[in-house]
Amino acid sequence: MTKPTTASGHKGLQLEQALIFEQDTQGTTAVDLPPIPEYADKLGEFGCDDPLGLPGLSEPEVVRHYTRLSQKNYSIDSGFYPLGSCTMKHNPRLNEKMARLPGFADVHPFQPISTVQGALELIDSCAHWLTELTGMAAVAMSPAAGAHGELCGLMCIKSAHDAAGSTRSVVLVPDSAHGTNPATAALCGYAVESIPANSEGRVDINALKSRLGPDIAAVMITNPNTCGLFERECIAIAEAVHAAGAYFYMDGANFNAIVGRLRIGDLGVDAMHINLHKTFSTPHGGGGPGAGPTVLSEALAPYAPVPMVVHGADGFDAEEHAGFGTAKKAYGRMKGYHGQFGVFVRALAYMMSMGADGLKQASGDAVLNANYLLARLSEELTPAFPGPCMHEAVFDDRFLKGTGVTTLDISKALIDEGFHPPTMYFPLVVHGALLIEPTETESKAALDQFVESMLHVARRAKAGNAAAEFQAAPQLAPRRRLDETGAARKPVLRWKPDETAAARQAAE
Ligand SMILES: *Cc1c(COP(=O)(O)O)cnc(C)c1O
């Protein structure tokens, strides 16, 4: 049976949506104002006589336009979001409610310190629990995202080397590193060299040790890494790195897999950022806001950026210049003010409501869920690495060998099944990778639904003669396969009456 075409272009109750400018009926407005009486114009030559070019729509038209647009956003509130290396989990509404309390939401960074004691106490408590959970000496709260936290950590490392008169110029990063790691090192002026992974998907410690030397400033390692695996040799790595006079940076974006179970300070780590928006609540995606506090060892703490909350004689105070502790060698600041305050509120509410036992259970459930997917999907898919995983499961594309179907095709077919595709082709060290992170917030029923769809898609691919059908996916989505590279490299961001319509037609 062929699918009907419709006169409207709508597909069932999925409505096509024209740009707001294309819906324009000049003269229509959402409000009726009385005619303007005569008045003396004081603007002179600066007055605008030309039409503003705003679209004319009635109130219901505006409401429908923005409501439909909001429905085009796929989100964690509408369905399972199995992206790996991203941690898209449910964020309790309680934390949203806390962040919206007027006492938190309406404070201003320029208020006198005496009027924001509660806000400073909240930052201080959040900082306290982050150092407690990581076993580290200090935390810089101001970085605004994970990548920003990495930059903060590397700037502390650079400051420490500068203070010691050392001119070390190279940062070592494993093959499987998140792209932000080498970018951060490069932004700090370091040359980046990669360390290979071993066949188990972990850092090749011998390769790492043999590259250590007087030119190495730092080693950046993600743990658990982006292959979803725990780096077991961190203590040996830390010892070797320190013996060589370098610092050990850990990318802690995946802290949600180990929180409550491991204090990274015990591993010999010098600096690590924590993505509060991945581990401690706060919805993210679409660009934030997030927060990337960076925990620091004794050795790096003195260089931590200002501002920081300190315990003053009359309550809490903000240290704006000198820096942390007695050494006070702050390298400067990461941004204006104290950081993403609303995210701190959510993070503290999350920690307080979960408690020590709850946090430990969350990391345990995240790992359990990932291993459930790994085990069940292994019926048809090929796991990239032997053995259990941490918070995310990685598959390669060996199961598609000879089918003519690619990882991309599988992802597109999953859209027809009603699932957001997992992360694809990352980590780069895995051929045709599918990286899936279920998180602790998905129920077994939700995971089973995903598994059934994934297995169904994999079986269809393996049954043979399916390449053409797969290449046509998605067939049930409002749009078919898009030119994603074109959309990223040559986005059409500005509406111009004729050009935009022509570009859209060309794209369709
Ligand atoms: C998400 C992530 C980052 C970057 O964090 P942002 O908040 O997106 O800047 C860095 N490393 C790893 C491993 C990540 O998963």
Side-chain angles (χ1 to χ4, degrees):
M1 221 170 28
T2 53
K3 278 176 260 143
T5 55
T6 55
S8 57
H10 302 318
K11 290 181 182 166
L13 298 180
Q14 283 185 339
L15 305 190
E16 276 299 302
Q17 175 83 357
L19 296 179
I20 198 164
F21 290 97
E22 295 166 345
Q23 298 175 42
D24 167 43
T25 309
Q26 276 303 308
T28 307
T29 56
V31 282
D32 289 327
L33 296 172
I36 305 169
E38 283 293 312
Y39 66 97
D41 182 354
K42 293 184 184 164
L43 290 173
E45 58 172 314
F46 300 111
C48 171
D49 295 326
D50 300 330
L52 288 177
L54 294 177
L57 284 89
S58 69
E59 182 174 308
E61 284 168 335
V62 173
V63 169
R64 282 188 181 159
H65 178 75
Y66 286 106
T67 303
R68 286 181 197 161
L69 275 190
S70 74
Q71 290 165 345
K72 294 196 188 305
N73 257 343
Y74 188 82
S75 71
I76 195 70
D77 286 344
S78 42
F80 182 40
Y81 216 127
L83 285 184
S85 198
C86 239
T87 316
M88 305 299 281
K89 67 180 184 184
H90 171 70
N91 298 290
R93 290 301 180 269
L94 170 69
N95 309 337
E96 294 302 311
K97 201 172 162 186
M98 294 299 113
R100 281 165 179 71
L101 289 175
F104 291 138
D106 298 342
V107 287
H108 191 280
F110 281 157
Q111 270 178 244
I113 290 283
S114 64
T115 68
V116 287
Q117 284 292 308
L120 295 180
E121 181 176 359
L122 184 135
I123 299 176
D124 188 66
S125 307
C126 198
H128 167 74
W129 290 116
L130 293 179
T131 51
E132 195 70 15
L133 286 166
T134 53
M136 297 290 275
V139 58
M141 293 296 285
S142 59
H148 207 209
E150 289 172 32
L151 186 62
C152 170
L154 277 211
M155 286 175 80
C156 289
I157 290 172
K158 194 165 199 317
S159 306
H161 282 309
D162 287 350
S166 126
T167 55
R168 293 164 180 257
S169 60
V170 179
V171 169
L172 299 180
V173 176
D175 269 353
S176 60
H178 195 270
T180 49
N181 291 190
T184 297
L187 196 65
C188 266
Y190 288 112
V192 179
E193 284 183 30
S194 75
I195 327 162
N198 61 24
S199 59
E200 282 190 338
R202 296 185 173 86
V203 172
D204 183 336
I205 185 166
N206 292 324
L208 170 71
K209 278 185 178 164
S210 65
R211 183 57 191 87
L212 287 173
D215 58 337
I216 306 297
V219 174
M220 297 178 87
I221 289 179
T222 304
N223 198 19
N225 69 22
T226 49
C227 297
L229 301 173
F230 189 74
E231 293 286 355
R232 295 185 191 128
E233 312 223 53
C234 275
I235 293 176
I237 291 173
E239 279 166 6
V241 167
H242 292 153
Y247 289 97
F248 185 9
Y249 187 90
M250 189 172 280
D251 180 330
N254 301 327
F255 194 52
N256 60 320
I258 52 176
V259 63
R261 289 167 188 273
L262 168 76
R263 300 183 338 144
I264 57 109
D266 298 339
L267 301 181
V269 169
D270 293 298
M272 179 182 91
H273 72 272
I274 301 169
N275 292 48
L276 293 188
H277 47 292
K278 290 182 184 171
T279 302
F280 297 106
S281 188
T282 287
H284 65 289
T294 303
V295 289
L296 300 163
S297 62
E298 294 284 354
L300 293 182
Y303 305 98
V306 287
M308 56 190 63
V309 174
V310 291
H311 298 238
D314 306 317
F316 293 98
D317 205 353
E319 169 57 66
E320 295 280 355
H321 302 288
F324 179 81
T326 45
K328 299 193 191 307
K329 297 178 195 159
Y331 65 71
R333 50 202 309 147
M334 292 301 291
K335 70 193 292 295
Y337 316 128
H338 284 272
Q340 305 279 35
F341 184 70
V343 181
F344 301 158
V345 180
R346 291 175 178 87
L348 188 63
Y350 182 79
M351 287 190 254
M352 293 293 105
S353 55
M354 296 289 278
D357 54 341
L359 290 176
K360 192 172 175 189
Q361 187 182 340
S363 57
D365 288 351
V367 172
L368 181 64
N369 275 359
N371 278 287
Y372 181 69
L373 285 190
L374 180 66
R376 287 220 52 205
L377 293 178
S378 294
E379 269 177 51
E380 296 291 346
L381 279 66
T382 39
F385 304 104
C389 59
M390 292 294 286
H391 59 301
E392 51 195 6
V394 197
F395 299 90
D396 58 26
D397 60 0
R398 279 174 301 152
F399 74 104
L400 294 173
K401 199 159 185 236
T403 62
V405 176
T406 64
T407 298
L408 177 70
D409 299 333
I410 293 285
S411 290
K412 296 299 179 192
L414 264 181
I415 295 177
D416 282 338
E417 290 279 338
F419 287 103
H420 190 285
T423 296
M424 313 177 284
Y425 300 106
F426 181 82
L428 303 176
V429 291
V430 174
H431 198 270
L434 275 171
L435 176 64
I436 307 174
E437 177 176 9
T439 79
E440 76 278 9
T441 56
E442 295 299 335
S443 65
K444 178 166 180 295
L447 297 183
D448 283 337
Q449 273 186 5
F450 175 71
V451 166
E452 290 314 323
S453 284
M454 196 75 187
L455 293 178
H456 174 67
V457 167
R459 284 183 195 124
R460 271 176 52 213
K462 287 157 93 172
N465 288 329
E469 197 191 334
F470 268 88
Q471 276 150 23
Q475 304 224 40
L476 303 176
R479 286 289 179 280
R480 304 293 294 280
R481 218 173 267 210
L482 303 174
D483 174 2
E484 284 149 355
T485 314
R489 299 287 174 224
K490 293 182 204 149
V492 181
L493 298 175
R494 179 176 297 172
W495 182 80
K496 292 183 199 152
D498 304 323
E499 281 173 36
T500 314
R504 287 175 113 212
Q505 260 168 15
E508 278 162 16

